[in-house]
Amino acid sequence: MNSSKLTLALQSRDRNIGDGYLKFQLNQQAAAVLSVKYTQEAIVVPVESVTPMPNMPGCILGLMNWRSRIVWIVDLPRMFNLEALDYQFRQYNIIIIRVESMILGLVVQEIKGTTKFQPEEICSPIGQVASSLVPYLRGCVVQEQEIFLVLDAQAIAQSSVLQGN
């Protein structure tokens, strides 16, 4: 094998190496990714399967039984003060995440699949997005001419909005 073929083989192999992310549409305007390290499952459930709870922040939709566990369900765009989701289809697209012992269900507009990219491809979100989003982001990444918000699962799970502080 000559050196140019070896270089090409290594370059194409390197493109497939990277951290795995679940790709989804946060709302009409924003696409985002979340590390698969924190992702347990992506599910679609009827709205009726989430039981509303009184006196909770507006972004907490309620509780749901998931695999014999009770899980808080969070409207992620609403938590981020973004344009609300349209529930006309009477179902929720939910990403179940686990951060240490905490399990949360994050409602998003649409789950799109998975992708991979290198950590060095993540750019600073400052100046690119609303400052209210920055605490929940690891950064932004441009892939296939689309900007994806790289969400920080730990920051979401530890948010004062969810802790009631």
Side-chain angles (χ1 to χ4, degrees), residues 131-142:
S131 58
S132 62
L133 273 176
V134 173
Y136 302 108
L137 299 179
R138 288 189 44 230
C140 298
V141 69
V142 178

Side-chain angles (χ1 to χ4, degrees), residues 17-79:
I17 298 173
D19 297 334
Y21 291 85
L22 183 68
K23 191 164 51 169
F24 55 93
Q25 204 57 40
L26 200 51
N27 64 6
Q28 287 288 86
Q29 289 78 35
V33 294
L34 189 62
S35 174
V36 295
K37 177 167 90 174
Y38 298 105
T39 305
Q40 297 291 295
E41 190 172 6
I43 57 176
V44 179
V45 300
V47 169
E48 297 78 27
S49 65
V50 176
T51 304
M53 299 302 289
N55 305 318
M56 297 305 290
C59 66
I60 297 180
L61 298 174
L63 293 169
M64 181 182 90
N65 185 337
W66 173 74
R67 298 186 182 264
S68 301
R69 292 192 173 154
I70 302 302
V71 177
W72 287 106
I73 304 301
V74 178
D75 182 328
L76 201 54
R78 194 164 179 186
M79 179 181 167

Side-chain angles (χ1 to χ4, degrees), residues 12 21 31 36 38 45 54 62 83 100 103 125 149 157-158 162:
S12 67
Y21 291 85
V36 295
Y38 298 105
V45 300
E83 183 179 309
E100 294 162 15
I103 298 175
L149 304 174
Q158 295 164 358
L162 302 181

Side-chain angles (χ1 to χ4, degrees), residues 9 42 46 146:
E146 191 173 6

Side-chain angles (χ1 to χ4, degrees), residues 71-74 95-98 102-106 156-157 162:
V71 177
W72 287 106
I73 304 301
V74 178
I95 301 167
I96 304 290
I97 66 165
R98 177 193 295 264
M102 179 184 257
I103 298 175
L104 281 176
L106 307 177
I156 292 168
L162 302 181

Side-chain angles (χ1 to χ4, degrees), residues 107-118:
V107 175
V108 299
Q109 181 174 319
E110 181 184 2
I111 299 164
K112 299 245 179 152
T114 59
T115 188
K116 286 185 176 185
F117 51 83
Q118 300 290 340

